[in-house]
Amino acid sequence: MIPESIDFLMRGGDHPDEEMNNFEKQVAESAFNAVLTRTQYAELGYKATYNLFHLYNFYMTRNPQIVKMLYRLQPYPEYIEMEVTQNCPLRCIQCEHTYWNEDSSQNTALSFKNFKNTMDQFPNLHWAGNNALGDPFTNPDYWKMLKYLDDKHVCQEIYTTSCLLKPTQMEKFVKTNAQIYVKFSLDGATKETYEGIRKNVNFDQVVENIKALDYYKKKHHKHFPEIHFHFLVMKQNYKEAEQYLDFLNSLGINIGGVMYSQLLHCFPEIEKNTFMPFPKELFAKLQAKGKKLNIPVSFNADALQAKPPANECVAWTMPYIFPDGSVISCCCMNEQNRRDWQRKTKMGNVFETPFREIWNGPAYKKLRTCLWNKKIKEAHPVCEICNIYDINNLSDING
C-alpha cells in the first residue's frame, strides 16, 4: 500500500475521472514497488519513476480500454517534444535539413525564456523530448533547459551524434536525475560508412564519447541514463545492419537497446540514392543476433509492416513544437522536407496563443473527432501520409 504522502508526490492527487484515476493508481503502485525493489528505480526516485511508467503505460498504447478512455477524456498533454534549435553544422545525406531552402532567419535557437514559458504551460508534464532537427548543442542554453526540467523530475531523452561534445562533458548527463536515455545516432558499423552518411562527424570522436558516458556511469554507480543506439536503414548502410551489433558489442559498454528505423518519409532529394523500405529479411536476423549478444533490439513503428489502425492513433497526446512556436500534431509529420507546409497546416503557435486554447481549438478538436470516427483523411492533411498507423484497415474499437 502506497503511503498517502508518496502517492500525492507522484500523482499530485486523485484524477476527477474514476476510470483514469484507477489506471493512474495502478501506475503509481507499480512505480512505488519498483523503487522499493529495483536499484535503478531507487536511483530515479518516486516522482521520476512514476513519470516514466506513466509514459510507458499511456503513450502510443495498444490497450483498447486506454485508447477509448483517451478519446473520451482528450486529456491535456502530459508529454511534449520541442525543438530547441534548427541550427546544425552537419550535412547528413538523409536529413531534410541538408536540403532546406528556408529563410535562414527561421534557423534560430530557442531562447530559454520561450522554452520556460512553454514548458510551464504543461503543469503535469511527465516526459519531454527537447531535441532538435539540428544539433541541440548549438543552443548555448541547452544544458540549462535540461536542468530546468530535471529539477522538476520530468523524464527526458536525447538523440545526438555527440559531435559537438568532448568526453569530459558526458559526465553532465550522468549527474542529472531524470535523463533516461542518451540515444546515439550512429548509422554505421564502420568509420567509412558512418562518415559517408553523417557528413562532418568524426566516427572515432563519437565512439570516444560513447565510451566516456559508460565510464562516468560506472564511476558514479548510475544505471541512468541508459545508452541506446538509433540506426537509420539506408541504401548506404543496410548491409552493415547485422555487423553493427557485433561492433557495438565490441565496445565493452552497457547497452540499453538498439532501435532500427527506416527513413520516416521519402522526399525527392533522397528517393533515388538513399531511401529504402526496411528489408523484411532483416527483422529475424537482427532479433536473433541481438538475443545472441544480449543486446535488446527493437524496430521503430515506421519500419513495422503490421501497423495499428489509424482510428486508434494516440500520437496526438504528444504535441511537437518548432523553435518558432509552431505546434504540429505529432512527430510523424517531420522529415518530409516540407517545413513551410507544416507551418501552414499547424495547429497554432504557442508564442502567440496559450497552448490550452490551441488544444481546445477547432484544429485539434477536428483531428481527434475525425480520427475516432474513422474519417482519417479529413482529420489533418498529414494523416493521409501517416506511416505509423494504417489508414486503410480501421478497427471497430468505437463500435
Side-chain angles (χ1 to χ4, degrees), residues 138-150:
T138 61
N139 187 324
D141 286 332
Y142 187 58
W143 287 113
K144 186 178 178 181
M145 294 171 180
L146 292 183
K147 186 178 186 307
Y148 181 74
L149 292 183
D150 191 62

Side-chain angles (χ1 to χ4, degrees), residues 217-288:
K217 284 179 57 180
K218 291 171 180 173
K219 176 182 176 182
H220 293 284
H221 307 289
K222 293 282 293 288
H223 175 86
F224 294 105
E226 292 182 358
I227 298 174
H228 286 239
F229 296 90
H230 188 207
F231 187 104
L232 283 167
V233 169
M234 309 169 224
K235 291 177 180 177
Q236 287 79 2
N237 66 2
Y238 77 97
K239 292 182 180 179
E240 291 186 6
E242 208 175 344
Q243 177 189 350
Y244 183 70
L245 294 173
D246 288 314
F247 159 67
L248 295 181
N249 189 57
S250 73
L251 299 180
I253 64 173
N254 292 328
I255 299 173
V258 177
M259 183 173 70
Y260 290 89
S261 300
Q262 73 177 41
L263 297 173
L264 195 56
H265 294 283
C266 180
F267 51 88
E269 291 84 353
I270 65 172
E271 182 175 11
K272 182 178 179 181
N273 297 319
T274 303
F275 181 87
M276 68 179 300
F278 199 93
K280 296 180 183 179
E281 66 275 9
L282 279 182
F283 287 102
K285 289 181 179 179
L286 295 174
Q287 286 175 326

Side-chain angles (χ1 to χ4, degrees), residues 84-327:
V84 300
T85 186
Q86 290 183 349
N87 293 314
C88 191
L90 310 183
R91 292 297 177 264
C92 303
I93 62 171
Q94 81 284 5
C95 183
E96 65 172 292
H97 188 286
T98 299
Y99 308 99
W100 277 356
N101 291 314
E102 287 198 330
D103 182 343
S104 61
S105 66
Q106 294 176 326
N107 298 339
T108 55
L110 177 68
S111 69
F112 181 76
K113 178 182 178 180
N114 282 340
F115 172 83
K116 181 180 181 301
N117 288 343
T118 301
M119 293 299 124
D120 288 349
Q121 294 185 51
F122 299 90
N124 297 316
L125 194 60
H126 301 303
W127 176 268
N130 299 118
N131 296 298
L133 187 69
D135 192 310
F137 295 101
T138 61
N139 187 324
D141 286 332
Y142 187 58
W143 287 113
K144 186 178 178 181
M145 294 171 180
L146 292 183
K147 186 178 186 307
Y148 181 74
L149 292 183
D150 191 62
D151 288 344
K152 296 174 177 286
H153 307 286
V154 175
C155 293
Q156 299 179 74
E157 69 175 353
I158 179 175
Y159 284 84
T160 181
T161 63
S162 77
C163 69
L164 297 181
L165 298 178
K166 297 178 181 179
T168 52
Q169 291 176 294
M170 305 308 287
E171 189 173 19
K172 287 187 176 183
F173 289 119
V174 180
K175 290 185 175 181
T176 59
N177 296 316
Q179 185 76 44
I180 305 299
Y181 307 124
V182 175
K183 297 182 175 181
F184 289 94
S185 299
L186 188 61
D187 314 294
T190 63
K191 180 180 177 71
E192 179 182 14
T193 297
Y194 180 67
E195 292 183 357
I197 292 170
R198 301 273 177 180
K199 302 293 185 180
N200 302 331
V201 182
N202 185 294
F203 179 80
D204 298 323
Q205 178 191 355
V206 171
V207 171
E208 189 176 1
N209 284 337
I210 294 167
K211 290 182 175 180
L213 179 56
D214 184 71
Y215 165 79
Y216 285 117
K217 284 179 57 180
K218 291 171 180 173
K219 176 182 176 182
H220 293 284
H221 307 289
K222 293 282 293 288
H223 175 86
F224 294 105
E226 292 182 358
I227 298 174
H228 286 239
F229 296 90
H230 188 207
F231 187 104
L232 283 167
V233 169
M234 309 169 224
K235 291 177 180 177
Q236 287 79 2
N237 66 2
Y238 77 97
K239 292 182 180 179
E240 291 186 6
E242 208 175 344
Q243 177 189 350
Y244 183 70
L245 294 173
D246 288 314
F247 159 67
L248 295 181
N249 189 57
S250 73
L251 299 180
I253 64 173
N254 292 328
I255 299 173
V258 177
M259 183 173 70
Y260 290 89
S261 300
Q262 73 177 41
L263 297 173
L264 195 56
H265 294 283
C266 180
F267 51 88
E269 291 84 353
I270 65 172
E271 182 175 11
K272 182 178 179 181
N273 297 319
T274 303
F275 181 87
M276 68 179 300
F278 199 93
K280 296 180 183 179
E281 66 275 9
L282 279 182
F283 287 102
K285 289 181 179 179
L286 295 174
Q287 286 175 326
K289 174 66 69 109
K291 185 175 181 179
K292 178 181 178 181
L293 298 176
N294 197 30
I295 297 176
V297 169
S298 64
F299 303 95
N300 200 15
D302 65 326
L304 300 177
Q305 293 170 359
K307 296 179 170 62
N311 61 313
E312 296 182 16
C313 169
V314 291
W316 48 266
T317 60
M318 186 185 288
Y320 192 100
I321 305 176
F322 290 169
D324 66 0
S326 297
V327 178

